């Protein structure tokens, strides 16, 4: 009869623990592996894999700033997740990587680029991105240990061509 008590106790723990864990992951965030070279040198600088905390709580009201690193669903393939830096917001005019034309960012959109512009699939390829595709901010490197620390809002590199910047951006104003 002892196995019955162990099984009942385990089932009760799972019944309480699982919803708490799911709520935490859906509300606050989780740790994710960053793959690829598109965010070098900020992430994966030595071609080894970084793990970051993706903070979902910070994007619940779309309080985003230029220079922040965000996680999003790819606008071309909703099954693919990307991590990029915010370069511009609605009302900004961005000169694309090939420097041939300026792109005006429409309402509810932003311009995202990888730090490694030669190896990044980003807004230079697919244009302005709906802000609603952003689901988290990358707030900390949590692994490897020698790289642990907060990810600071980065300066927009000089090779990112912001022609005109909208000084006051309110993506979704409170009524």
């Amino acid at each position: 009869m002892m196995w019955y008590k162990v099984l009942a106790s385990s089932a009760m723990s799972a019944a309480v623990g699982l919803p708490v864990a799911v709520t935490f992951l859906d509300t606050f965030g989780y740790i994710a592996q960053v793959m690829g070279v598109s965010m070098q040198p900020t992430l994966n600088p030595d071609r080894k894999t970084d793990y970051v905390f993706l903070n979902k709580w910070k994007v619940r009201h779309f309080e985003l700033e230029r220079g922040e690193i965000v996680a999003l669903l790819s606008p071309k393939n909703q099954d693919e997740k990307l991590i990029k830096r915010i370069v511009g917001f609605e009302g900004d005019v961005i000169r694309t990587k090939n420097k041939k034309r300026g792109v005006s960012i429409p309402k509810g959109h932003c311009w995202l680029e990888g730090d490694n512009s030669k190896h990044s699939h980003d807004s230079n390829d697919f244009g302005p991105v709906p802000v609603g595709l952003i689901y988290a901010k990358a707030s900390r490197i949590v692994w490897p240990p020698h790289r642990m620390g907060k990810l600071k809002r980065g300066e927009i590199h000089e090779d990112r061509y912001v022609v005109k910047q909208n000084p006051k951006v309110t993506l979704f104003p409170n009524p």
Side-chain angles (χ1 to χ4, degrees):
M1 208 44 125
M2 184 67 150
W3 65 270
Y4 177 76
K5 288 181 182 180
V6 171
L7 183 61
S9 175
S10 297
M12 182 60 90
S13 294
V16 171
L18 188 61
V20 169
V22 169
T23 300
F24 181 85
L25 293 173
D26 280 348
T27 304
F28 296 105
Y30 61 95
I31 295 171
Q33 180 181 17
V34 178
M35 300 176 70
V37 297
S38 73
M39 286 302 294
Q40 284 181 340
T42 307
L43 299 172
N44 300 343
D46 49 6
R47 295 196 180 257
K48 294 191 173 142
T49 301
D50 283 342
Y51 289 81
V52 297
F53 181 71
L54 294 179
N55 191 329
K56 289 181 159 188
W57 185 258
K58 292 279 188 178
V59 296
R60 68 192 186 284
H61 296 298
F62 298 101
E63 297 165 358
L64 305 169
E65 296 182 39
R66 289 175 189 85
E68 290 182 315
I69 298 173
V70 294
L72 67 144
L73 298 175
S74 169
K76 296 295 182 191
N77 177 0
Q78 299 290 306
D79 294 328
E80 184 181 0
K81 295 178 180 179
L82 306 174
I83 187 162
K84 303 293 175 196
R85 188 177 302 279
I86 298 173
V87 175
F89 287 110
E90 63 184 51
D92 291 354
V93 176
I94 306 289
R95 191 170 310 140
T96 60
K97 190 165 44 179
N98 60 22
K99 305 179 192 177
K100 292 183 179 177
R101 60 186 177 95
V103 175
S104 181
I105 303 176
K107 187 173 178 118
H109 288 68
C110 61
W111 190 267
L112 304 170
E113 293 186 6
D115 287 353
N116 186 350
S117 61
K118 292 179 183 172
H119 299 285
S120 182
H121 183 60
D122 53 30
S123 286
N124 285 292
D125 301 310
F126 43 71
V129 176
V131 183
L133 293 179
I134 296 173
Y135 62 87
K137 285 184 191 180
S139 59
R140 308 188 76 74
I141 296 174
V142 297
W143 192 262
H146 70 279
R147 295 202 14 88
M148 283 183 182
K150 185 175 180 180
L151 283 167
K152 296 181 180 142
R153 196 177 110 226
E155 292 296 316
I156 306 301
H157 298 268
E158 63 273 358
D159 64 343
R160 290 180 175 80
Y161 307 97
V162 181
V163 177
K164 177 186 152 216
Q165 191 174 80
N166 185 357
K168 188 168 184 169
V169 176
T170 307
L171 295 174
F172 299 99
N174 294 331

